[in-house]
Structures are given as structure tokens and as C-alpha cells.
Amino acid sequence: NAGVTQTPKFQVLKTGQSMTLQCAQDMNHNSMYWYRQDPGMGLRLIYYSASEGTTDKGEVPNGYNVSRLNKREFSLRLESAAPSQTSVYFCAVRESLFHFGNGTRLTVT
Amino acid sequence: AQSVTQLGSHVSVSEGALVLLRCNYSSSVPPYLFWYVQYPNQGLQLLLKYTSAATLVKGINGFEAEFKKSETSFHLTKPSAHMSDAAEYFCAVETGANNLFFGTGTRLTVIP
């Protein structure tokens, strides 16, 4: 989707490895979100950020950290990946509507 | 607290038949409700939204949804299914914290 860019698109990690998922927007919106999508469970909110420098936990924050150092970028970090974190991760930004990135498909073996 | 329930994780219809995907919500305040579509290996695309204006909302690709407060429902319909409608559909409600809370999704299969 135009305006919300997620990197990488795919990633395979071994249990215990760390990585950071990146999300950048060029829409100048304040609110940004990280969701994970799992089969049969829809999308669940991990963390969100209402503005630069602020973050709040969502429904499933355990095992994740986030960073919103500027208005444009909102990163999601897995410090010690676990197989249960195998999922598709979506970043979203919101002004009047939510706009989603194309997702990062993460596999933890 | 707000939540949505999508009845039926899989729905199959014949090409040209009516599409009906069900969504019920619970909300302590008048809700903002949404339907999103996700095609394989893609992100989410907004189909339509209800924001307390007209109760019958028309979206893209011929879809529409009707907000029924008495039934706490926001079902998605399309009169005639096309093969290209095969996808996963998500109902969502916007919470007071400006977050989207999603249903578990309904995968639509269109049979030729």
C-alpha cells in the first residue's frame, strides 16, 4: 500500500535470535500500529504509538519491544525470537482511516 | 469493551450467487465499523466503513453492508459473486483508544 513501507518482506530466524521489523510512512500521520496475523485469529494489536516518542501496549505485547524515535518510523523488535512468534506482521498508520503495509512474513524455527 | 464476531470461518458460494458474510459487534458506545479484504499474500484493503451516517454503506467492488443497531450486526453482502471475490474478509470495530479490533476473518471461496 502506498505510503506505508515494511521491511523486510520475509525473514527466517532461529529460536533465540533477535531482529527488528521496520515500518516507515510518508503520510505524516501521528498514530502508528503493529499487528500480528495468525490463522483463525484475525489481526491482533501488539503495540501502538499515538505520537512520536510515545508507545502503548496492545493485546499481545509479550516478547516484543517497539521504538518510535520520529514521526515517520515505528520499529518492532524481537529480542529473543520464539516459534510462537511465527506470524505475519502488519504495520498500520491512522489519520481518519487505517492504512496498512503489505506485511512481513516471519518464520522462527 | 468493543469486539466483533464473524460467524463462519469459511463460506463457499457459486459464481453469480449472493454473498453474505456475517459480523456481529458489541460496543458500549456507537461504533465505527469496517470491512477489510485481504487477497493472498497481500495487505488489507478497506472495503467500506460505517461511521454513524447512513445505515446502508456501499463499498468498493459492489459490496455493501447494513448497520442494524437492534441486531448489533454489520453483515457484508454482494448480489452476485465473481471469481475475483475469493479472498479473506475481516470485520473490525474501532475502539475508544483509536485502535482497530478485528474479527477472526471469513475466507470466501467462489465456485465456478
Side-chain angles (χ1 to χ4, degrees), chain A residues 1 33 35 37 40-43 45 48 59 90 94 96-98 100-103 105, chain B residues 34 36 38 41-44 46 49 88 90 94 97-105:
Chain A
N1 287 332
Y33 305 78
Y35 290 88
Q37 182 181 21
M41 304 190 76
L43 280 79
L45 182 66
Y48 67 99
E59 188 182 355
F90 286 99
R94 181 189 181 275
S96 59
L97 294 175
F98 281 76
F100 288 84
N102 283 330
R105 190 174 295 273
Chain B
F34 303 82
Y36 284 86
Q38 185 181 35
N41 299 313
Q42 294 188 25
L44 278 78
L46 180 67
K49 63 174 181 175
E88 190 154 20
F90 293 93
E94 185 164 342
N98 295 326
N99 297 327
L100 271 184
F101 190 91
F102 287 86
T104 53

Side-chain angles (χ1 to χ4, degrees), chain A residues 11-80:
Chain A
Q11 183 72 49
V12 178
L13 292 177
K14 295 185 188 304
T15 297
Q17 288 185 315
S18 63
M19 79 160 294
T20 300
L21 282 66
Q22 305 285 357
C23 176
Q25 56 141 333
D26 60 6
M27 307 172 83
N28 201 35
H29 294 335
N30 282 318
S31 299
M32 298 186 73
Y33 305 78
W34 276 106
Y35 290 88
R36 60 177 289 174
Q37 182 181 21
D38 301 291
M41 304 190 76
L43 280 79
R44 293 178 293 168
L45 182 66
I46 305 171
Y47 270 94
Y48 67 99
S49 170
S51 62
E52 176 183 343
T54 68
T55 61
D56 287 284
K57 294 179 180 179
E59 188 182 355
V60 288
N62 292 345
Y64 304 95
N65 287 302
V66 290
S67 178
R68 183 84 183 275
L69 296 180
N70 55 60
K71 192 172 186 178
R72 184 173 177 271
E73 297 170 304
F74 187 36
S75 60
L76 179 71
R77 183 160 178 84
L78 288 71
E79 289 290 352
S80 179

Side-chain angles (χ1 to χ4, degrees), chain B:
Chain B
Q2 287 90 345
S3 69
V4 291
T5 302
Q6 290 185 244
L7 297 175
S9 58
H10 291 86
V11 170
S12 293
V13 301
S14 297
E15 190 174 15
L18 172 72
V19 176
L20 171 60
L21 304 182
R22 299 177 186 275
C23 173
N24 288 87
Y25 71 91
S26 65
S27 175
S28 57
V29 297
Y32 285 3
L33 293 161
F34 303 82
W35 275 100
Y36 284 86
V37 60
Q38 185 181 35
Y39 298 102
N41 299 313
Q42 294 188 25
L44 278 78
Q45 180 180 1
L46 180 67
L47 272 179
L48 49 82
K49 63 174 181 175
Y50 167 77
T51 56
S52 75
T55 57
L56 182 62
V57 181
K58 293 188 184 299
I60 63 171
N61 301 339
F63 285 93
E64 62 183 35
E66 186 172 8
F67 174 73
K68 292 187 177 180
K69 185 176 180 180
S70 61
E71 299 177 8
T72 61
S73 69
F74 190 57
H75 301 332
L76 182 70
T77 60
K78 182 174 181 178
S80 177
H82 294 167
M83 295 299 296
S84 59
D85 293 327
E88 190 154 20
Y89 293 80
F90 293 93
C91 183
V93 61
E94 185 164 342
T95 71
N98 295 326
N99 297 327
L100 271 184
F101 190 91
F102 287 86
T104 53
T106 298
R107 185 170 298 279
L108 176 67
T109 300
V110 182
I111 303 166

